[in-house]
Amino acid sequence: MTTLRLILGDQLNPCHSWFAAPDPNVVHVMMEIRQETDYVRHHAQKILAVFAAMRDFAAQLKSQGHRVRYVAIDDPSNRQSLTGNLDALIRHYGATTAAYQAPDEWRLDRQLADWAAGLSIPCQMTDNEHFYTARGEAAAFFGPRRQWRQETLYRQLRRQHGILMDDNGEPAGGRWNFDADNRQRWRGDPPEPLDPRPAHDHSLLWQTITDAGVGSFGQPQADALRWPLNRAEALSQLQAFIEHALPHFGAYQDAMSLRARRLFHSLLSFALNVKMLNPRETVDAAAAAWRAGRAPLAAVEGFVRQVLGWREYVRGVYWARMPGYRDCNALEHSLPLPRWFWNGDTGMQCLARAIGQSLEDAYAHHIQRLMVIGNFGLIAGLSPQALHEWYLGVYIDAFEWVALPNTLGMSQFADGGLLGSKPYAGSAAYIGRMSDYCAGCRYRPKQRVGADACPFNALYWDFFRRHRARLAANPRLALVYRQLDKLPEAERAAITARAAALQANLDAL
Ligand code: FAD
Ligand code: SF4
């Protein structure tokens, strides 16, 4: 009687009940497959970090007495497909039952459900024991509402789990939201904390990956890979974040600077998304730091909102709207990505920095993703699907359940406003306010038209002109339309002409 249990590459949770005690009748299967390296073109560090973390996890399980069959990318028996390998291994071990943890991506969920339905042995899907909410919980909570506000679900989860709540049922500090305290520009003080992550030498593994013919882009940094590759490393990174960065997380969470890559962000998304860390322990650690007086409430609330609020919320949107969500394009944008998305070689300093950093580190923080890269894609009219593929490939933390709602919904308004009450569009004024990017840029942030004018400006105003029919009735955009309509006719015409010229030659920017 042998059971085959599948562990996916983003299910590296040693605290899962599967691993409570070794069982000689259970074989745990892990596999490095071209199906997963090739469904989109990935950043080199993403492939390397996932494989290295999987290998570390398999070694840990073995050392605890679990049986593990690890199919490496260059294993001659590797069929390079999930179900091809599973079928072969069921035969090989004479397995009488199979099991897998609920996948977080729709594509794998479907593939495994279809495969399981055709099996001649029983196969069970079990909870992956990671999230606060069940897959369908957000959909049940929002019901038929046209707009799903993150804030509503977030408050419900705070109440339900008693996080940052007073005994009288009110939010700690008497407010749910400290966003107004959290929008400061960073001028170098307090200093950016040291990067706490260890550097791993995985040159040999990288050689194996490239020898196997796996394609990628971005810098592998294989001899100094800076991502946590097991739970112990993830926990020490969490601790370093709580101690050194969390106290300033809130104040500077929207700030950007040429002098700092991460500022006070946690760099925890990879560890969370491959499930080395549980969201509960990150939220609890932050709340405990506030209770102990080691971090201000505004900072802790800002962080808790990201993990308990946004992360659970986007997952709910994903499961409620898939598979159709992937194709939504409410604004009918269709321009291809400019060439510089693949090398960062643009004269726009904000984009050169945000994209260049993404290619070097497989990481950019939220405001770089949303208000620089995503903002440009939105106002320039880039295809949301092409952008989604880029985001899904480039970031170390990108898995479809979280990347898709963030890119298509939050950043590109492609779902027509299910996720965001208005498009996240901004001109150079926003980027100049929140960063030091504009000083030294070849473009002039205060100009709207002319060869040296910042491209964000004409594209911003023209975006609202182009989408007047859909957006003008939105009360949150009333001021924008009043400002647009106040511009002299000739200036509006010049903006339209400048935007069209920019859109016709985005590669040249
Ligand atoms: P911190 O700023 O320190 O935040 C703490 C944690 O909160 C993160 O680790 C993450 O788990 C969670 N979080 C914060 N914001 C979000 C959010 N909007 N949605 C879900 N979780 C959030 N996040 C991903 O994990 N994977 C993605 O593929 C991804 N793609 C994105 C694409 C776009 C266009 C945008 C605008 C955002 C995307 N995000 C994604 C959300 C967010 O930018 C990243 O989670 C964050 O930058 C990761 O860095 P950090 O760990 O330093 O986060
Ligand atoms: Fe970006 Fe425009 Fe500022 Fe240059 S001037 S950094 S393009 S916002």
Side-chain angles (χ1 to χ4, degrees):
M1 290 282 282
T2 299
T3 296
L4 211 69
R5 282 181 182 164
L6 170 69
I7 303 169
L8 293 169
D10 67 346
Q11 295 177 337
L12 310 182
N13 171 11
C15 306
H16 192 279
S17 53
W18 268 6
F19 311 118
D23 180 342
N25 295 320
V26 173
V27 178
H28 295 96
V29 173
M30 300 178 73
M31 54 180 97
E32 300 169 351
I33 44 178
R34 294 297 294 269
Q35 171 192 321
E36 292 307 292
T37 57
D38 294 7
Y39 69 87
V40 72
R41 200 166 175 81
H42 295 283
H43 195 292
Q45 282 180 52
K46 189 175 168 195
I47 301 169
L48 192 53
V50 171
F51 281 12
M54 286 171 66
R55 288 178 178 214
D56 191 300
F57 191 71
Q60 274 184 53
L61 290 184
K62 281 184 193 164
S63 74
Q64 291 161 5
H66 295 283
R67 285 176 76 189
V68 179
R69 172 73 167 97
Y70 194 91
V71 184
I73 191 80
D74 59 349
D75 185 326
S77 74
N78 191 341
R79 286 160 167 77
Q80 304 294 349
S81 103
L82 192 57
T83 50
N85 280 339
L86 285 170
D87 285 335
L89 292 169
I90 284 176
R91 280 195 301 276
H92 176 81
Y93 289 103
T96 47
T97 56
Y100 60 94
Q101 296 178 26
D104 289 317
E105 295 195 325
W106 190 89
R107 144 190 95 77
L108 291 172
D109 190 60
R110 272 284 25 100
Q111 186 187 12
L112 285 170
D114 291 346
W115 170 76
L119 274 184
S120 56
I121 59 171
C123 180
Q124 195 192 10
M125 182 175 90
T126 184
D127 190 2
N128 61 34
E129 300 173 11
H130 178 77
F131 292 95
Y132 280 95
T133 48
R135 271 183 190 175
E137 203 169 317
F141 174 75
F142 286 111
R145 280 182 239 189
R146 206 175 61 80
Q147 289 187 330
W148 290 18
R149 291 287 151 259
Q150 182 270 153
E151 185 74 32
T152 329
L153 181 68
Y154 167 62
R155 290 184 187 187
Q156 164 63 16
L157 292 175
R158 288 257 307 264
R159 285 194 198 93
Q160 191 179 328
H161 297 279
I163 295 162
L164 302 180
M165 298 299 293
D166 287 341
D167 291 342
N168 61 4
E170 292 299 313
R175 279 154 66 190
W176 291 102
N177 190 320
F178 293 83
D179 274 0
D181 305 354
N182 283 351
R183 296 216 175 98
Q184 293 180 40
R185 185 182 162 125
W186 184 73
R187 296 176 197 280
D189 188 38
E192 184 185 44
L194 289 179
D195 188 340
R197 299 171 299 165
H200 304 271
D201 186 349
H202 275 299
S203 315
L204 284 178
L205 174 56
W206 181 240
Q207 192 61 50
T208 307
I209 292 170
T210 47
D211 287 350
V214 177
S216 66
F217 68 101
Q219 294 185 18
Q221 298 184 2
D223 59 351
L225 187 70
R226 300 295 307 265
W227 296 101
L229 298 181
N230 56 45
R231 179 163 165 78
E233 289 176 3
L235 283 171
S236 71
Q237 193 180 316
L238 170 63
Q239 202 178 348
F241 165 71
I242 298 285
E243 207 170 310
H244 303 295
L246 177 66
H248 307 294
F249 175 87
Y252 303 106
Q253 67 178 319
D254 287 3
M256 300 174 282
S257 174
L258 292 169
R259 290 177 287 162
R261 290 186 172 223
R262 67 174 281 222
L263 280 163
F264 302 94
H265 293 272
S266 67
L267 303 170
L268 285 171
S269 48
F270 175 71
L272 277 165
N273 292 354
V274 298
K275 305 185 182 67
M276 292 167 190
L277 273 188
N278 187 278
R280 283 180 175 77
E281 62 199 341
T282 60
V283 163
D284 291 349
W290 169 63
R291 279 197 303 276
R294 288 187 283 120
L297 181 57
V300 171
E301 191 283 317
F303 180 74
V304 167
R305 169 180 296 272
Q306 307 308 321
V307 181
L308 176 69
W310 282 108
R311 192 164 182 269
E312 298 290 326
Y313 166 79
V314 296
R315 170 175 144 89
V317 169
Y318 178 77
W319 280 105
R321 295 300 153 124
M322 281 301 282
Y325 200 73
R326 197 189 285 149
D327 304 318
C328 64
N329 189 358
L331 300 178
E332 298 177 21
H333 286 169
S334 59
L335 290 181
L337 304 193
R339 274 203 299 268
W340 36 263
F341 266 73
W342 304 102
N343 58 20
D345 188 10
T346 163
M348 292 181 285
Q349 186 151 257
C350 52
L351 278 156
R353 175 54 188 259
I355 290 179
Q357 180 186 324
S358 303
L359 296 170
E360 278 165 36
D361 300 346
Y363 176 83
H365 69 68
H366 186 67
I367 294 300
Q368 293 175 304
R369 298 186 201 193
L370 183 65
M371 294 310 294
V372 178
I373 307 171
N375 178 15
F376 182 86
L378 174 72
I379 61 181
L382 304 187
S383 153
Q385 279 69 36
L387 263 175
H388 167 59
E389 287 212 351
W390 184 83
Y391 275 101
L392 187 59
V394 76
Y395 291 118
I396 193 81
D397 51 38
F399 297 89
E400 194 186 63
W401 65 269
V402 53
L404 195 60
N406 270 299
T407 306
L408 257 61
M410 184 188 299
S411 138
Q412 299 304 301
F413 205 70
D415 63 11
L418 172 76
L419 201 145
S421 57
K422 70 179 176 71
Y424 280 97
S427 65
Y430 176 86
I431 294 172
R433 199 161 54 244
M434 296 314 301
S435 77
D436 55 10
Y437 290 158
C438 297
C441 177
R442 82 169 278 294
Y443 294 103
R444 305 277 68 88
K446 292 213 157 61
Q447 290 178 19
R448 294 192 183 115
V449 291
D452 292 336
C454 170
F456 276 84
N457 293 337
L459 291 171
Y460 172 83
W461 289 110
D462 194 59
F463 168 81
F464 287 106
R465 180 199 62 79
R466 273 181 279 138
H467 295 295
R468 186 183 283 273
R470 174 178 277 275
L471 301 177
N474 183 336
R476 297 199 62 201
L477 296 173
L479 180 64
V480 174
Y481 278 100
R482 270 203 305 280
Q483 288 171 333
L484 177 60
D485 293 338
K486 262 198 229 150
L487 293 177
E489 180 73 43
E491 188 166 355
R492 271 186 278 150
I495 286 172
T496 301
R498 163 91 173 141
L502 291 169
Q503 285 175 304
N505 199 4
L506 294 174
D507 281 345
L509 289 173

